[in-house]
Amino acid sequence: MEEYSDFEILIPYKKIKKRTKKIAKQINHDFKNEEVVFLGVLNGSFMFISELFKHIKIKCQISFVKVASYRNTESTGDIKELIGINEDLEGKSVIIIEDIIDTGRTMSKVISDLKKLKPKKISIATLLVKPSKLEYNIPIDYEGFSIKDDFVIGFGLDYNGLHRNSKDILIFNAEKS
Ligand code: IMP
Ligand code: MG
């Protein structure tokens, strides 16, 4: 059985729940007269999305996208590509839902790919952000928690695909995993 008592709790579920509800209320207020398309970035955001959606009251759709990384044989860096958009987003208000913004590279790719689909507006909601690591200028509209440069797991976030199934957000410690 997976037990997480060895890891230090950074943000307990109770706090996540409370903060997420607040964000949902803010979104309900900001978009009260608009139809919105939420775009959840899988896999990491699935728990945040479901928590958020318990409290979203506006008229909306939700769709899920993925950022696929593959290694470019020509150069050193990974190429990132946004996959899974089947909707017509032209003229629509889109809210991207992410688990964490670290350097901001993933989010900046998501934004630039989305812009090509000519939405009316793109807003960003992320559960976590690591300000000390940010390398891109990302306009974050809704932010759950600002955290230090620790690698975190749980509430959907993983380390090598594991540990998404903790209710609390924990500080990952390789020695204890
Ligand atoms: P970026 O550096 O902002 O592009 O972050 C890329 C991705 O790395 C995020 O979407 C997460 O999937 C992952 N990531 C960054 N920091 C953490 C962390 O502390 N825990 C788990 N995943 C992370
Ligand atoms: Mg992610």
Side-chain angles (χ1 to χ4, degrees):
M1 194 178 130
E2 192 75 296
E3 276 285 356
Y4 288 111
S5 51
D6 277 353
F7 294 101
E8 184 190 333
I9 295 178
L10 183 67
I11 312 168
Y13 175 59
K14 217 175 141 185
K15 261 181 100 174
I16 300 170
K17 209 169 132 177
K18 208 171 149 191
R19 183 76 192 116
T20 305
K21 188 174 178 181
K22 244 185 155 167
I23 293 174
K25 281 186 165 177
Q26 190 66 50
I27 292 173
N28 289 335
H29 174 265
D30 295 349
F31 292 88
K32 57 176 176 285
N33 299 316
E34 271 185 77
E35 196 172 329
V36 168
V37 181
F38 286 92
L39 276 188
V41 184
L42 295 176
N43 295 327
S45 64
F46 73 96
M47 282 210 198
F48 179 42
I49 295 166
S50 62
E51 193 64 51
L52 195 70
F53 252 58
K54 291 175 190 169
H55 308 288
I56 292 291
K57 310 284 184 209
I58 52 174
K59 196 173 179 186
C60 64
Q61 294 177 27
I62 182 154
S63 195
F64 302 95
V65 292
K66 265 196 160 187
V67 180
S69 297
Y70 54 94
R71 199 152 271 284
N72 180 2
T73 49
E74 304 286 309
S75 70
T76 45
D78 278 353
I79 303 286
K80 286 181 183 276
E81 185 191 14
L82 186 64
I83 56 170
I85 296 191
N86 307 308
E87 285 74 21
D88 176 14
L89 297 179
E90 191 168 341
K92 296 186 180 163
S93 290
V94 175
I95 303 178
I96 303 167
I97 312 175
E98 239 310 17
D99 54 350
I100 186 164
I101 297 178
D102 188 26
T103 63
R105 185 164 174 253
T106 306
M107 188 51 85
S108 94
K109 180 64 184 162
V110 171
I111 294 168
S112 70
D113 280 9
L114 272 183
K115 277 186 176 162
K116 294 177 196 154
L117 303 172
K118 302 193 176 75
K120 176 173 142 195
K121 187 178 175 187
I122 299 173
S123 305
I124 297 167
T126 185
L127 178 61
L128 303 172
V129 62
K130 290 182 188 170
S132 65
K133 298 273 302 283
L134 264 180
E135 290 170 21
Y136 294 77
N137 184 22
I138 308 287
I140 303 171
D141 302 273
Y142 308 99
E143 173 187 312
F145 303 91
S146 176
I147 64 169
K148 284 192 290 187
D149 182 21
D150 288 313
F151 196 86
V152 292
I153 51 169
F155 204 72
L157 289 115
D158 73 305
Y159 173 74
N160 285 346
L162 295 172
H163 311 308
R164 297 190 195 274
N165 51 314
S166 161
K167 264 175 111 176
D168 307 305
I169 292 174
L170 311 167
I171 296 178
F172 181 70
N173 182 334
E175 282 159 28
K176 291 179 178 172
S177 70

